[in-house]
Amino acid sequence: MKKLYLCSVAFVVAVLVAVSGLFTGFAQEKEKVYVINVKSEITPGLFSYIKSSLNKAEEEGASLVLLDIDTYGGRIDSAVNISDIILESDMKTVAYINKKAISAGVLVSISCDKIYMAPSATIGSAETIPATEKNMSYWKKQLKTVAEQKGRNPELVMAMADKDIEIEGVVEKGKLLNLTTEEALKLNFVDGKASSRGDVYRSLGIESFSENVLESTPIEDFINVISSSYVAPLLLALGFIGLVVEIITPGFGIGGLLSIIGFSLFFMGSIMGGNAHLLSVVLFIAGIAMLIAEAAAPGFGVFGTLGIAGVVLSIVMASSSLTLALVYMLVALVLTVAVVALIFKKLPKRKLAKTLLLDTNLSKESGFIPAKEMLEYIDREGRAVSFLRPSGKIEIDNEILDAVSDGEFIQKDELVKVVRVEGSKIIVRKKGE
């Protein structure tokens, strides 16, 4: 009886171990899926986030990386950088266009191994701004190369960027191609339609999965904001506005602080986003220093020319392209002129006016005498109320005047005579000479 009992216990334990092993096997078979959100402007900050997320997914042995895309696009240079790291990655990647992939978002999407679209999503309208021949040629080449590499129709992709491309039955000349989910499916441009990320996984044959949504860090969010094509020129303008205010006000104040903050954030966004190096910052500081030195000297010369050249070149170096740099500088210039003009308009009502406006009444009572009236003093006599070595003060008819001796030293209280007037100078000699 006891032997039968022990056999029964052994059988139950064996069954439990087998079942436990079975469930453990099921748990181990769950595939790791990592999600990267692409739901903002495509900037150097977004590039930093995607790069670190791909590295993390690879280090932790993810089976699949899904890019959840909903973007109006952004900077071409950042889109190209993102495309490169996706193409270089050994991870299996899927683009899930949750709502829209516009402009630079097209390149990010077609760089993935698979593309799925939500039922009401769109993809396309990828024309560069400005649409110069140089920009278009480079951008179209990038799109075509990636499309061919990933087995997408390159003609469709280029038609999204160039409105001069006509595809019969798809897009007319003069219009950019923009595809809905159903249109993209009909043209075999995407791999499927999915109402959710779970549908994407199941369509790929992944029934059991653990999803890990990778969030961007506060630093990556910060870089994303300051490197935005909308924020960067505002930071540049803030720097110049603060610089002008600091120059026209005594001491170091709010203008200098705003200038440092604006310029620092502008270059920080470019450097941390991988578009610039410290050399551009050094060049910019040197340019500003030369401009300040020029402002302290009369006229405009070498320092002013070198200062402007240094500032312009540093901004070009901190931007992804010459065109973008010119746009930044134009926006910053317009905003700076507008704000400084507003400051000048309001200035007379504030104490700050004293630093710019002459607060002296040029009246006869305060010692100012027009040149025409000074001619009337010729041949008149008076006395020196101070030593003239050779300049000093004289008194004529109880009126104190600035005067210059005609070559000789004149003692205080000696009688003098005005011999001539040269511009604003009264020239005198000792009486009787």
Side-chain angles (χ1 to χ4, degrees), residues 281-340:
V281 179
V282 173
L283 188 60
F284 180 81
I285 293 174
I288 292 295
M290 289 181 185
L291 288 176
I292 293 174
E294 184 66 31
F300 188 85
V302 176
F303 281 118
T305 303
L306 291 177
I308 292 174
V311 169
V312 171
L313 183 58
S314 67
I315 294 173
V316 172
M317 290 173 63
S319 305
S320 60
S321 66
L322 177 60
T323 301
L324 190 62
L326 293 176
V327 171
Y328 283 175
M329 286 186 282
L330 179 61
V331 172
L333 179 63
V334 170
L335 290 176
T336 301
V337 170
V339 173
V340 171

Side-chain angles (χ1 to χ4, degrees), residues 4 25 37 49 66 97 155 164 195 215 227 243 262 287 355 391 399:
L4 181 61
N37 286 315
Y49 158 59
L66 181 142
I97 303 173
E155 192 175 12
D164 289 334
S195 299
E215 301 293 343
S227 61
L243 180 63
T355 64
S391 62
E399 190 173 359

Side-chain angles (χ1 to χ4, degrees), residues 173-219:
K173 188 175 182 179
K175 293 183 179 180
L176 293 174
L177 178 60
N178 195 51
L179 298 175
T180 64
T181 301
E182 298 302 327
E183 290 170 339
L185 286 169
K186 186 178 179 181
L187 294 169
N188 294 318
F189 186 72
V190 296
D191 298 281
K193 178 171 68 173
S195 299
S196 65
R197 293 199 298 258
D199 287 346
V200 174
Y201 306 147
R202 284 183 283 273
S203 178
L204 293 170
I206 303 174
E207 296 295 336
S208 180
F209 58 87
S210 60
E211 188 181 67
N212 184 9
V213 179
L214 298 172
E215 301 293 343
S216 56
T217 65
I219 293 178

Side-chain angles (χ1 to χ4, degrees), residues 84-328:
D84 288 342
I85 60 172
I86 293 174
L87 294 173
E88 292 169 2
S89 175
D90 295 328
M91 302 295 302
K92 183 178 180 181
T93 55
V94 175
Y96 176 48
I97 303 173
N98 203 357
K99 195 170 184 181
K100 57 187 173 293
I102 306 301
S103 188
V106 172
L107 181 61
V108 175
S109 299
I110 66 173
S111 299
C112 296
D113 299 320
K114 301 284 185 180
I115 302 176
Y116 284 81
M117 296 178 68
S120 58
T122 57
I123 181 172
S125 299
E127 186 178 38
T128 62
I129 299 175
T132 63
E133 183 179 352
K134 183 178 180 180
N135 288 344
M136 287 294 295
S137 177
Y138 170 77
W139 182 233
K140 284 165 60 179
K141 183 178 179 180
Q142 288 291 325
L143 291 170
K144 181 181 180 182
T145 300
V146 175
E148 290 176 342
Q149 184 174 343
K150 290 297 181 179
R152 309 287 168 191
N153 187 328
E155 192 175 12
L156 291 175
V157 175
M158 288 192 293
M160 294 177 181
D162 189 352
K163 58 187 175 183
D164 289 334
I165 295 177
E166 180 180 5
I167 303 176
E168 187 176 351
V170 178
V171 62
E172 300 175 2
K173 188 175 182 179
K175 293 183 179 180
L176 293 174
L177 178 60
N178 195 51
L179 298 175
T180 64
T181 301
E182 298 302 327
E183 290 170 339
L185 286 169
K186 186 178 179 181
L187 294 169
N188 294 318
F189 186 72
V190 296
D191 298 281
K193 178 171 68 173
S195 299
S196 65
R197 293 199 298 258
D199 287 346
V200 174
Y201 306 147
R202 284 183 283 273
S203 178
L204 293 170
I206 303 174
E207 296 295 336
S208 180
F209 58 87
S210 60
E211 188 181 67
N212 184 9
V213 179
L214 298 172
E215 301 293 343
S216 56
T217 65
I219 293 178
E220 289 167 343
D221 290 336
F222 181 67
I223 298 173
N224 201 30
V225 172
I226 63 177
S227 61
S228 165
S229 57
Y230 300 104
V231 176
L234 298 181
L235 293 174
L236 199 58
L238 178 65
F240 284 119
I241 292 168
L243 180 63
V244 172
V245 171
E246 182 62 25
I247 290 174
I248 65 178
T249 55
F252 183 83
I254 188 66
L257 183 61
L258 290 176
S259 181
I260 291 173
I261 292 173
F263 289 138
S264 297
L265 291 180
F266 172 77
F267 283 99
M268 184 187 298
S270 294
I271 291 173
M272 296 185 73
N275 288 322
H277 300 282
L278 287 177
L279 178 61
S280 62
V281 179
V282 173
L283 188 60
F284 180 81
I285 293 174
I288 292 295
M290 289 181 185
L291 288 176
I292 293 174
E294 184 66 31
F300 188 85
V302 176
F303 281 118
T305 303
L306 291 177
I308 292 174
V311 169
V312 171
L313 183 58
S314 67
I315 294 173
V316 172
M317 290 173 63
S319 305
S320 60
S321 66
L322 177 60
T323 301
L324 190 62
L326 293 176
V327 171
Y328 283 175

